[in-house]
Amino acid sequence: MRARTARISIGRDERNDVVVEDLLASRRHAELLRRGDRWLLVDLGSANGTFVNGRRVRTRAIGPGDVVAIGHVLLHLEDDRLVERLDVGSVGFRAAGLTVRTGVGVPLLDDVGFSLAPRSLLAVVGPSGAGKSTLLRALTGFRPADEGRVEYAGRDLYADYEELRARIGLVPQDDILHPQLTVRRALDYAAELRFPADVSRMERARRVAEVIAELDLVEQAGRTIRSLSGGQRKRTSVALELLTRPSLLFLDEPTSGLDPGLDKSVMRTLRGLADDGRTVVVVTHSVANLDQCDRLLLLAPGGKVAYFGPPAEAPTHFGCTDLADVFLALQERPHDDWSGRFRRSRLWAQYVWSGEYPLPSRPTAVPAVPAAALSPARQVSVLCRRYLAVIAADRQYLAFTAVLPLVLSLLAHALPGDSGLSIARQMQGVRGAPNTVWLVLVVGATLMGTAAAIRELVKEREIYRRERAIGLTRGAYLISKLVVLGTIVGLQAVVLGVVGTAGRPAPDAAVLLGSSTTEVVIALVAVSVASVTLGLLASALIDNADRGMPLLVLLAMLQFVLSGALVQIGDRPVLAELAWLVPARWGFAAGAATIGLPTGPDTFYPSVDPLWEHTTGAWLLDLTMLGVLTAGCVIGTWRLLCRLDPIRRRTASTSTPPFYRRRRLQA
């Protein structure tokens, strides 16, 4: 439109002067204001940001040479006109001199470069350890290369990552979906996380229906993801990435574990996506259906390019009959100069480089995590609702959650004792016997909390990685886990405390609240919530969900031994300090303070433990220490989640290989 008015509104709403038909744009996204002979661009608090020349801005003066990006739409001033161009994916993509090294200097990628024309399908293959996944992370910006450059439509992907990341879709090898949800519901929650808050439910549902139809998932839309075949699950993962209409789509081993028929089906789907206007890059071990691809990139051991070009010409280049023989040659002769041989061939000049191509030497910085489309509070809401939906869809888990506190309560009631005695007398350590009732209740509360959380983070690691890369805040994710798990386990602890002490007279006197039963229940809730955070810490520490159960057994034994119920440890070096880190120690002490457990020569506990004193101060101290322990575990979990963040590239390399200074990448 012609920019003659003093104010031009830009956004998704049809009442704007410039309507951006993209769900990544906010309804009222930005304004263009005339200030004398200049134009001032003002972002109106948009969810996904307004970018000028690749940099996110709040307010910026712009001229004819500046490019404004809002969602997938590019705008610029031209002869007093606001000109619009939609990025539909028909753009070139290329990489030059990509090098990645380990901390000790061992190359994982060595001088990798190639070029892709628009609407291309590229397969990246090679033996195990050749650097395929490393290359994928470098191309997507998740782990930028130490040296080299990645270009999207002639723009530096690393330098302009925060803007361009909306144009990139990444499907990891592991599924990034909750198997308990239906296809449509999983896509609904994904759309809610990715689109601005002002996108209506109807608009999200319309976009979800579009990608379901595009990936031929209409008949599977109402089925749970775990009931789908392997190929259908992969198509669902692709559908999730297509919600934001990415121009570049990367897939890591999408056909891994699939039978030949499903392998072919997935590759045909990717071929169709490329033909529809996207550039698709797929890492694969399978060579059965590479004829669907426009280009083949074959990496040799050490992360070097052994071949780039049409798949049909690869066997001839290696002097083999088929690609399986090519793999065999690379594995049997890993020290051959495969990269040098390819560069000396006609294929290198024909398909890779010609002319001059200057690489940048200026420093560039890449934000480790892009800004979020939703506020942290809105993210917490979406994540909590999704988590509750996952739990509600798992009937076995629901039944186990409801029954567990009742079973533990029955165990407490099954302990020998006179039901006519008060709970204080039964919980008090009479001579020659520990207070087994309170021990069962406390250890049961710690077991419920730890068991509920110990696999939660590790089993969702790939989901978290992907959502973190699109703007999910670490705090929102952790808070959602604490809110849902804390509520569930807290309710379990209330049931355990009430049912476990039912039918028995309460302790004789409370220390603060007037009701000793209430104080006992509060102690159980506090220790169970602290155990949830301990379980989350353990879940963030391990890298395999199968290790959660052995670790749960270890933590349960530590809670049992260090609680102080069986053996007094307050005056034992090392054990006393170690017990400070165990929720059961403080939970047992809080209950003991309410109950007023006797200590002395004639009791089971001969030493005086100040944490068990029947005083308000001792009870509050025990609960305070549970709060401190909870906070410490939350902070530790938060720090461990930092390891999963995208890696920041601090500066671009100031020196480039001589070869790349002389030659230019050919599109």
Side-chain angles (χ1 to χ4, degrees):
M1 66 168 293
R2 185 167 295 278
R4 290 178 173 174
T5 61
R7 180 189 301 267
I8 298 174
S9 60
I10 308 170
R12 202 178 70 253
D13 194 290
E14 294 181 355
R15 291 169 292 185
N16 288 290
D17 299 314
V18 176
V19 179
V20 178
E21 296 181 355
D22 186 348
L23 292 182
L24 293 178
S26 298
R27 290 188 179 276
R28 297 187 69 253
H29 197 103
E31 285 183 337
L32 195 61
L33 308 176
R34 185 183 286 278
R35 293 291 184 265
D37 59 350
R38 298 191 311 160
W39 285 97
L40 188 67
L41 181 68
V42 180
D43 182 85
L44 300 178
S46 63
N48 287 303
T50 301
F51 298 85
V52 176
N53 302 329
R55 300 293 184 272
R56 187 165 183 162
V57 300
R58 294 291 184 187
T59 303
R60 170 77 179 269
I62 65 170
D66 295 317
V67 177
V68 178
I70 296 177
H72 291 94
V73 174
L74 303 178
L75 305 166
H76 66 277
L77 290 171
E78 183 179 294
D79 298 330
D80 203 28
R81 293 178 64 88
L82 194 60
V83 180
E84 174 182 339
R85 178 169 65 88
L86 182 64
D87 176 5
V88 295
S90 294
V91 294
F93 179 77
R94 51 192 182 180
L98 298 184
T99 300
V100 176
R101 299 184 181 89
T102 65
V104 295
V106 178
L108 301 176
L109 287 181
D110 190 358
D111 215 9
V112 175
F114 62 90
S115 166
L116 280 180
R119 302 172 182 261
S120 294
L121 173 58
L122 167 68
V124 180
V125 300
S128 298
K132 299 185 297 296
S133 295
T134 302
L135 176 61
L136 194 66
R137 290 192 292 269
L139 294 177
T140 58
F142 190 86
R143 198 294 187 192
D146 300 321
E147 297 176 8
R149 175 184 176 102
V150 178
E151 276 197 357
Y152 171 89
R155 300 175 59 187
D156 188 336
L157 177 66
Y158 294 164
D160 300 342
Y161 177 73
E162 188 174 8
E163 176 196 337
L164 297 180
R165 56 100 181 179
R167 295 161 167 80
I168 298 174
L170 173 62
V171 180
Q173 181 175 356
D174 296 326
D175 288 334
I176 51 176
L177 301 159
H178 292 90
Q180 299 90 343
L181 300 179
T182 64
V183 171
R184 181 177 286 109
R185 199 165 192 184
L187 295 177
D188 282 338
Y189 284 120
E192 195 169 356
L193 277 177
R194 285 160 171 76
F195 294 138
D198 61 9
V199 174
S200 68
R201 179 179 298 180
M202 184 177 298
E203 289 174 308
R204 291 198 305 268
R206 187 182 304 118
R207 180 57 190 151
V208 168
E210 289 173 357
V211 297
I212 286 176
E214 183 176 3
L215 273 300
D216 195 21
L217 291 168
V218 175
E219 294 183 359
Q220 292 79 30
R223 293 172 53 187
T224 59
I225 293 169
R226 63 183 164 196
S227 68
L228 303 179
S229 68
Q232 291 166 345
R233 285 199 301 272
K234 285 301 178 184
R235 294 212 306 272
T236 304
S237 294
V238 173
L240 185 147
E241 292 301 313
L242 294 186
L243 287 170
T244 55
R245 292 188 171 91
S247 308
L248 293 169
L249 183 61
F250 296 87
L251 302 98
D252 191 4
E253 300 285 357
T255 61
S256 177
L258 302 184
D259 62 49
L262 292 177
D263 184 313
K264 189 170 186 176
S265 174
V266 170
M267 292 302 292
R268 281 181 174 176
T269 299
L270 301 183
R271 177 70 265 171
L273 293 175
D275 293 338
D276 287 341
R278 300 176 184 88
T279 300
V280 182
V281 178
V282 54
V283 171
T284 180
H285 275 103
S286 174
V287 298
N289 297 286
L290 295 182
D291 58 321
Q292 300 281 344
C293 303
D294 300 293
R295 290 290 184 267
L296 173 68
L297 176 64
L298 205 158
L299 292 177
K304 298 181 180 181
V305 177
Y307 175 81
F308 179 81
E313 297 186 32
T316 303
H317 170 71
F318 288 93
C320 299
T321 57
D322 55 37
L323 284 171
D325 290 336
V326 173
F327 270 66
L328 188 61
L330 292 174
Q331 291 173 334
E332 292 179 346
R333 292 143 52 195
H335 301 296
D336 285 10
D337 186 14
W338 299 108
S339 178
R341 177 181 174 182
F342 176 58
R343 290 189 179 186
R344 293 188 295 270
S345 71
R346 65 166 182 83
L347 300 175
W348 173 267
Q350 182 176 356
Y351 296 118
V352 183
W353 303 106
S354 66
E356 295 292 329
Y357 182 66
L359 285 181
S361 59
R362 62 181 177 85
T364 59
V366 180
V369 179
L374 300 178
S375 67
R378 183 66 181 265
Q379 287 184 348
V380 170
S381 172
V382 175
L383 293 174
C384 285
R385 286 187 282 111
R386 183 177 69 179
Y387 192 14
L388 289 172
V390 169
I391 292 174
D394 192 337
R395 295 183 179 179
Q396 289 184 346
Y397 180 81
L398 279 178
F400 177 78
T401 300
V403 169
L404 181 59
L406 298 176
V407 172
L408 293 173
S409 301
L410 292 177
L411 289 177
H413 278 283
L415 295 173
D418 185 352
S419 59
L421 295 176
S422 71
I423 187 67
R425 292 285 305 280
Q426 292 189 50
M427 288 184 174
Q428 285 173 355
V430 296
R431 185 168 185 170
N435 38 73
T436 51
V437 174
W438 184 235
L439 172 63
V440 169
L441 295 179
V442 170
V443 172
T446 62
L447 180 63
M448 288 190 305
T450 308
I454 200 164
R455 297 178 72 248
E456 280 305 310
L457 301 186
V458 66
K459 74 181 183 182
E460 290 187 352
R461 181 158 297 180
E462 288 304 320
I463 297 175
Y464 173 76
R465 281 182 190 271
R466 183 63 192 127
E467 293 180 345
R468 181 74 172 135
I470 63 171
L472 177 67
T473 60
R474 191 184 310 117
Y477 180 73
L478 187 53
I479 289 173
S480 69
K481 293 295 183 185
L482 292 172
V483 169
V484 175
L485 289 175
T487 301
I488 292 174
V489 172
L491 292 174
Q492 287 180 311
V494 171
V495 173
L496 177 64
V498 172
V499 178
T501 59
R504 293 165 169 165
D508 299 330
V511 295
L512 179 63
L513 301 180
S515 169
S516 52
T517 300
T518 301
E519 291 181 357
V520 165
V521 170
I522 288 175
L524 289 176
V525 171
V527 73
S528 64
V529 172
S531 297
V532 165
T533 62
L534 180 62
L536 290 175
L537 179 64
S539 187
L541 188 62
I542 60 179
D543 56 5
N544 190 314
D546 293 336
R547 297 174 184 170
M549 290 302 101
L551 187 56
L552 174 62
V553 174
L554 175 61
L555 291 176
M557 290 303 299
L558 285 174
Q559 303 261 34
F560 184 73
V561 173
L562 298 179
S563 65
L566 297 178
V567 179
Q568 284 190 289
I569 55 176
D571 56 353
R572 298 181 180 229
V574 181
L575 280 181
E577 288 74 19
L578 184 61
W580 293 347
L581 305 177
V582 175
R585 164 65 166 149
W586 304 102
F588 186 86
T594 294
I595 297 165
L597 288 180
T599 58
D602 295 331
T603 68
F604 184 78
Y605 304 105
S607 301
V608 176
D609 192 332
L611 299 177
W612 295 2
E613 292 181 359
H614 188 61
T615 63
T616 301
W619 189 73
L620 290 177
L621 174 62
D622 296 332
L623 290 183
T624 300
M625 290 307 299
L626 277 173
V628 170
L629 186 60
T630 299
C633 289
V634 170
I635 294 172
T637 304
W638 189 87
R639 294 296 301 271
L640 288 173
L641 287 175
C642 293
R643 301 178 306 169
L644 305 179
D645 282 356
I647 297 175
R648 182 185 180 92
R649 174 172 171 166
R650 300 182 183 279
T651 58
S653 175
T654 56
S655 62
T656 56
F659 178 82
Y660 291 103
R661 294 199 195 99
R662 297 195 306 269
R663 296 184 178 266
R664 178 173 59 85
L665 191 61
Q666 178 176 294

